[in-house]
């Protein structure tokens, strides 16, 4: 009996670390007990401990493996959003589709220590026709899958197939509740099509009494839609999504700051003045992202984080190497050292939100 109580307390202790490290305290989204193993929890403690030591000693110490991953199914996109290099065609790296065999190999390697995979980076994930195969394989290995979509590839005709192969979480990014506000940013798409896809999915999910996907409606607050926030909450409740999230917008130029950032400054992550813009926080010489997660492009390039959209700071190409080898490589640790020494010297870090709250607020429906 005493041993059982000890094991239960130990499990709760590890779950505390697990949830706080990953910032995944959404009980409705993720049942942490389902994904809990002592090996995964111990790995999480190793990562937190080694990151803390690295901050103190100012040199990279890495124990354990990433807790989460972002894997890119494709960098093709059907839309042309003004702040997205994929849709604009400004990516200098090749366009292509992730090979399911490469994804399965990665899952086989990381499933004992990692449990969360964002199956998106640049591009629209549902362009890759092999996406359902990859979702299923990860879930069969007790790995949680999250996907972000613009919704244009979900229709009444294919909604059953989508639900039969659903990720654990599906984020609908829409950013407007009428054609004018929607198409101002989601260039090449229509609100009508995205709305129809979302409604078809939620309606059919309820009819079939399916638990997944957890449906999140994501709304990036901009100048042309900041007046719609109350309407968004009503819309989310009417459609029946599980959660509504309002996010601040990322911009890459002063011109786009003037064009898109909301008038209400509390909805911005930037200070805009004197013909320039800067992130609204102090840039410290550390970054937990380099310990807790890793980002992999469709063709196996490993980049430091999701802000490196064009793989400008490419660290390693997997190309048959074990991911453990990649994670502990000289290239990875050299980049960690650079961030620990002078993070401002890394251009993409000056526009980074690591440690900054980017969700304005979230509402569970």
């Amino acid at each position: 009996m005493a041993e059982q109580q000890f094991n239960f307390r130990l499990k709760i202790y590890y779950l505390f670390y697990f949830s706080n490290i990953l910032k995944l305290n959404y009980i409705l989204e993720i049942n942490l007990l389902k994904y809990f193993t002592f090996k995964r929890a111990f790995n999480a403690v190793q990562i937190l401990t080694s990151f803390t030591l690295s901050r103190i000693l100012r040199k990279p110490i890495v124990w354990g493996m990433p807790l989460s991953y972002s894997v890119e199914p494709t960098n093709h996109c059907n839309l042309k959003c003004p702040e997205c290099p994929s849709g604009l065609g400004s990516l200098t790296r090749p366009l292509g589709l992730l090979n399911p065999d490469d994804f399965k190999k990665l899952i086989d390697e990381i499933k004992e220590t990692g449990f969360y995979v964002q199956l998106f980076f640049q591009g629209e994930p549902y362009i890759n026709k092999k996406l359902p195969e990859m979702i299923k394989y990860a879930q069969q290995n007790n790995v949680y899958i999250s996907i972000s979509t613009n919704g244009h590839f979900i229709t009444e005709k294919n909604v059953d197939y989508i639900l039969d192969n659903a990720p654990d979480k599906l984020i609908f990014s829409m950013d407007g509740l009428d054609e004018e506000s929607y198409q101002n940013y989601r260039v090449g798409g229509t609100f009508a099509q995205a709305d129809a896809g979302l409604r078809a999915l939620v309606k059919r999910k309820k009819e079939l009494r399916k638990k997944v996907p957890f449906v999140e409606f994501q709304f990036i607050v901009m100048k042309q839609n900041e007046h719609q926030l109350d309407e968004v909450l009503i819309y989310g409740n009417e459609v029946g999504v599980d959660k509504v999230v309002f996010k601040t917008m990322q911009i890459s130029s002063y011109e786009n700051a003037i064009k898109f950032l909301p008038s209400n400054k509390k909805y911005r992550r930037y200070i805009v003045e004197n013909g320039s813009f800067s992130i609204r926080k102090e840039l410290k010489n550390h970054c937990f992202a380099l310990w807790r997660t890793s980002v992999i492009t469709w063709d196996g390039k490993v980049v430091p984080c999701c802000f490196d959209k064009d793989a400008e700071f490419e660290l390693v190409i997997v190309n048959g190497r074990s991911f453990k080898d990649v994670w502990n490589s000289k290239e990875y640790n050299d980049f960690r050292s650079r961030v620990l020494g002078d993070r401002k010297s890394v251009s993409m870090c000056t526009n980074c939100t690591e440690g900054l709250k980017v969700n304005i607020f979230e509402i569970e429906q």
Side-chain angles (χ1 to χ4, degrees), residues 15-27:
L15 277 172
F16 173 79
Y17 268 93
F18 216 22
S19 61
N20 279 283
I21 290 171
L22 291 169
K23 303 175 184 177
L24 298 173
N25 297 309
Y26 310 123
I27 302 303

Side-chain angles (χ1 to χ4, degrees), residues 32-288:
L32 288 175
L33 284 171
K34 176 182 176 182
Y35 299 98
F36 176 88
T37 68
F38 281 107
K39 193 162 187 176
R40 285 175 172 175
F42 181 63
N43 178 67
V45 173
Q46 283 184 302
I47 286 296
L48 179 60
T49 304
S50 61
F51 172 67
T52 303
L53 285 173
S54 298
R55 287 182 62 181
I56 295 169
L57 300 175
R58 314 312 304 168
K59 66 177 184 178
I61 298 167
V62 183
W63 299 329
M65 293 286 286
L67 310 175
S68 64
Y69 297 78
S70 291
V71 184
E72 182 179 69
T74 182
N75 54 354
H76 287 283
C77 192
N78 55 310
L79 303 185
K80 299 183 183 301
C81 304
E83 273 293 342
C84 177
S86 180
L88 287 177
S90 62
L91 290 176
T92 61
R93 59 188 176 94
L95 300 178
L97 304 170
L98 175 63
N99 186 320
D101 291 337
D102 293 335
F103 180 75
K104 291 175 183 178
K105 182 177 183 297
L106 176 69
I107 293 297
D108 290 342
E109 286 190 59
I110 61 99
K111 63 186 179 184
E112 290 191 355
T113 51
F115 85 99
Y116 188 98
V117 171
Q118 291 186 159
L119 200 44
F120 63 93
F121 178 32
Q122 298 303 292
E124 165 55 45
Y126 279 101
I127 287 176
N128 190 325
K129 302 301 182 186
K130 300 291 185 181
L131 190 69
E133 180 183 341
M134 293 184 271
I135 293 170
K136 284 296 184 187
Y137 190 80
Q139 291 172 334
Q140 287 164 4
N141 285 279
N142 201 29
V143 173
Y144 185 96
I145 292 291
S146 171
I147 286 176
S148 180
T149 179
N150 58 47
H152 282 67
F153 290 88
I154 299 175
T155 66
E156 282 191 2
K157 290 183 179 179
N158 70 4
V159 70
D160 280 9
Y161 179 71
I162 295 289
L163 287 169
D164 286 342
N165 301 277
D168 298 280
K169 178 178 179 179
L170 189 59
I171 302 166
F172 265 76
S173 299
M174 289 177 61
D175 315 328
L177 288 185
D178 53 44
E179 295 300 347
E180 182 181 1
S181 60
Y182 183 90
Q183 293 184 38
N184 188 281
Y185 187 74
R186 298 276 169 181
V187 179
T190 67
F191 172 74
Q193 192 170 350
D195 173 63
L198 176 58
R199 288 179 184 274
L201 182 99
V202 173
K203 179 174 179 287
R204 191 63 176 142
K205 176 191 167 187
K206 289 180 178 178
E207 289 173 352
L208 297 173
R209 297 183 179 181
K210 286 186 175 285
K211 293 182 178 180
V212 296
F214 181 95
V215 181
E216 176 178 304
F217 182 85
Q218 184 175 284
F219 195 86
I220 299 175
V221 181
M222 310 176 214
K223 186 175 291 184
Q224 74 272 14
N225 66 20
E226 62 183 309
H227 63 285
Q228 295 179 333
L229 303 195
D230 289 340
E231 296 172 50
V232 169
L233 295 177
I234 295 169
Y235 174 83
N237 186 60
E238 178 213 332
V239 174
V241 301
D242 297 301
K243 186 177 185 179
V244 173
V245 173
F246 295 98
K247 293 190 74 171
T248 57
M249 183 183 185
Q250 180 189 355
I251 47 97
S252 58
S253 69
Y254 178 74
E255 290 72 27
N256 276 351
I258 298 302
K259 184 176 181 180
F260 290 110
L261 290 186
S263 302
N264 191 330
K265 293 182 180 179
K266 73 179 181 180
Y267 299 149
R268 300 179 182 182
R269 67 177 72 167
Y270 299 99
I271 298 169
V272 182
E273 58 187 10
N274 301 323
S276 65
F277 67 96
S278 60
I279 205 81
R280 198 166 56 183
K281 70 164 187 174
E282 180 187 357
L283 198 64
K284 297 180 180 179
N285 289 333
H286 59 78
C287 179
F288 192 28

